[in-house]
């Protein structure tokens, strides 16, 4: 059965309709290695800027908010200003509200 299906696929690929579809397909130029390296670098830096560093900053803020000194706070809020777009991206997913107290 498999050889008959393969024969049908080969025969169907020679049909004029398939050839006209193949001519209409958009062809993209092959990307060079340097272009792929640059795209990978942009993607890596984007993920670092929008996800990784803001997540580390926000978890560090949660852990040190009440015990941080003034210089540490100044440095932290400066970094938070730099990575603000990433904090906006992560803010819907992070919940730093205090836990409910038992009375």
């Amino acid at each position: 059965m498999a050889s008959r299906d393969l024969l049908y696929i080969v025969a169907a690929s020679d049909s004029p309709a398939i050839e006209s579809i193949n001519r209409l397909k958009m062809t993209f130029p092959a990307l060079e290695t340097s272009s792929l390296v640059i795209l990978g670098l942009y993607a890596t830096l984007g993920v670092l800027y929008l996800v990784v560093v803001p997540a580390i900053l926000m978890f560090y803020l949660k852990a040190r908010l009440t015990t941080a000194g003034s210089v540490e706070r100044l440095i932290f809020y400066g970094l938070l200003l730099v990575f603000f777009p990433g904090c906006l991206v992560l803010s819907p997913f992070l919940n730093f509200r205090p836990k409910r107290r038992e009375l």
Side-chain angles (χ1 to χ4, degrees), residues 4 6 18 36 42 63 69 83 90:
R4 186 172 33 165
L6 183 62
I18 299 294
L36 291 175
Y42 269 112
F83 293 102
L90 292 178

PDB file of all heavy atoms in Angstrom, residues 4 6 18 36 42 63 69 83 90:
ATOM      1  N   ARG A   4       2.146   2.218  -3.449  1.00  0.00           N
ATOM      2  CA  ARG A   4       1.103   2.759  -4.320  1.00  0.00           C
ATOM      3  C   ARG A   4       0.815   4.217  -3.948  1.00  0.00           C
ATOM      4  O   ARG A   4       0.641   5.065  -4.826  1.00  0.00           O
ATOM      5  CB  ARG A   4      -0.156   1.918  -4.200  1.00  0.00           C
ATOM      6  CG  ARG A   4      -1.207   2.353  -5.200  1.00  0.00           C
ATOM      7  CD  ARG A   4      -2.381   1.435  -5.250  1.00  0.00           C
ATOM      8  NE  ARG A   4      -2.685   0.846  -3.950  1.00  0.00           N
ATOM      9  CZ  ARG A   4      -3.808   0.251  -3.664  1.00  0.00           C
ATOM     10  NH1 ARG A   4      -4.745   0.128  -4.583  1.00  0.00           N
ATOM     11  NH2 ARG A   4      -4.027  -0.258  -2.492  1.00  0.00           N
ATOM     12  N   LEU A   6       2.943   6.321  -2.546  1.00  0.00           N
ATOM     13  CA  LEU A   6       4.096   7.084  -2.978  1.00  0.00           C
ATOM     14  C   LEU A   6       4.043   7.327  -4.477  1.00  0.00           C
ATOM     15  O   LEU A   6       4.339   8.429  -4.938  1.00  0.00           O
ATOM     16  CB  LEU A   6       5.389   6.349  -2.599  1.00  0.00           C
ATOM     17  CG  LEU A   6       6.690   7.064  -2.917  1.00  0.00           C
ATOM     18  CD1 LEU A   6       6.763   8.379  -2.152  1.00  0.00           C
ATOM     19  CD2 LEU A   6       7.864   6.186  -2.576  1.00  0.00           C
ATOM     20  N   ILE A  18      -0.237  21.564  -9.996  1.00  0.00           N
ATOM     21  CA  ILE A  18       0.819  21.650  -8.983  1.00  0.00           C
ATOM     22  C   ILE A  18       1.965  22.512  -9.487  1.00  0.00           C
ATOM     23  O   ILE A  18       2.533  23.308  -8.747  1.00  0.00           O
ATOM     24  CB  ILE A  18       1.331  20.236  -8.607  1.00  0.00           C
ATOM     25  CG1 ILE A  18       0.214  19.381  -8.021  1.00  0.00           C
ATOM     26  CG2 ILE A  18       2.500  20.309  -7.657  1.00  0.00           C
ATOM     27  CD1 ILE A  18      -0.309  19.882  -6.693  1.00  0.00           C
ATOM     28  N   LEU A  36      21.841  35.328  10.213  1.00  0.00           N
ATOM     29  CA  LEU A  36      21.248  34.491  11.259  1.00  0.00           C
ATOM     30  C   LEU A  36      21.878  34.769  12.619  1.00  0.00           C
ATOM     31  O   LEU A  36      21.187  34.766  13.636  1.00  0.00           O
ATOM     32  CB  LEU A  36      21.405  33.016  10.899  1.00  0.00           C
ATOM     33  CG  LEU A  36      20.566  32.541   9.716  1.00  0.00           C
ATOM     34  CD1 LEU A  36      20.906  31.101   9.382  1.00  0.00           C
ATOM     35  CD2 LEU A  36      19.103  32.688  10.018  1.00  0.00           C
ATOM     36  N   TYR A  42      19.873  39.649  18.298  1.00  0.00           N
ATOM     37  CA  TYR A  42      18.745  40.538  18.604  1.00  0.00           C
ATOM     38  C   TYR A  42      17.697  39.824  19.448  1.00  0.00           C
ATOM     39  O   TYR A  42      17.164  40.388  20.404  1.00  0.00           O
ATOM     40  CB  TYR A  42      18.091  41.051  17.311  1.00  0.00           C
ATOM     41  CG  TYR A  42      18.678  42.340  16.811  1.00  0.00           C
ATOM     42  CD1 TYR A  42      19.413  42.371  15.635  1.00  0.00           C
ATOM     43  CD2 TYR A  42      18.494  43.523  17.500  1.00  0.00           C
ATOM     44  CE1 TYR A  42      19.954  43.541  15.164  1.00  0.00           C
ATOM     45  CE2 TYR A  42      19.027  44.707  17.037  1.00  0.00           C
ATOM     46  CZ  TYR A  42      19.755  44.719  15.871  1.00  0.00           C
ATOM     47  OH  TYR A  42      20.290  45.879  15.408  1.00  0.00           O
ATOM     48  N   ALA A  63      12.141  40.616  47.700  1.00  0.00           N
ATOM     49  CA  ALA A  63      12.900  40.061  48.822  1.00  0.00           C
ATOM     50  C   ALA A  63      13.523  41.148  49.691  1.00  0.00           C
ATOM     51  O   ALA A  63      13.621  40.989  50.906  1.00  0.00           O
ATOM     52  CB  ALA A  63      13.988  39.132  48.295  1.00  0.00           C
ATOM     53  N   GLY A  69      18.961  49.445  51.988  1.00  0.00           N
ATOM     54  CA  GLY A  69      19.441  50.765  52.374  1.00  0.00           C
ATOM     55  C   GLY A  69      19.145  51.784  51.287  1.00  0.00           C
ATOM     56  O   GLY A  69      18.642  51.466  50.202  1.00  0.00           O
ATOM     57  N   PHE A  83      14.829  49.172  32.877  1.00  0.00           N
ATOM     58  CA  PHE A  83      14.154  47.961  32.403  1.00  0.00           C
ATOM     59  C   PHE A  83      12.635  48.051  32.561  1.00  0.00           C
ATOM     60  O   PHE A  83      11.960  47.028  32.675  1.00  0.00           O
ATOM     61  CB  PHE A  83      14.692  46.737  33.152  1.00  0.00           C
ATOM     62  CG  PHE A  83      16.114  46.439  32.825  1.00  0.00           C
ATOM     63  CD1 PHE A  83      17.132  46.798  33.693  1.00  0.00           C
ATOM     64  CD2 PHE A  83      16.451  45.815  31.642  1.00  0.00           C
ATOM     65  CE1 PHE A  83      18.445  46.523  33.383  1.00  0.00           C
ATOM     66  CE2 PHE A  83      17.764  45.544  31.321  1.00  0.00           C
ATOM     67  CZ  PHE A  83      18.761  45.909  32.191  1.00  0.00           C
ATOM     68  N   LEU A  90       5.940  41.871  32.216  1.00  0.00           N
ATOM     69  CA  LEU A  90       5.784  40.834  33.242  1.00  0.00           C
ATOM     70  C   LEU A  90       4.708  41.136  34.275  1.00  0.00           C
ATOM     71  O   LEU A  90       4.253  40.226  34.964  1.00  0.00           O
ATOM     72  CB  LEU A  90       7.112  40.629  33.977  1.00  0.00           C
ATOM     73  CG  LEU A  90       8.228  40.011  33.175  1.00  0.00           C
ATOM     74  CD1 LEU A  90       9.484  39.926  34.020  1.00  0.00           C
ATOM     75  CD2 LEU A  90       7.841  38.639  32.686  1.00  0.00           C
TER      76      LEU A  90
END
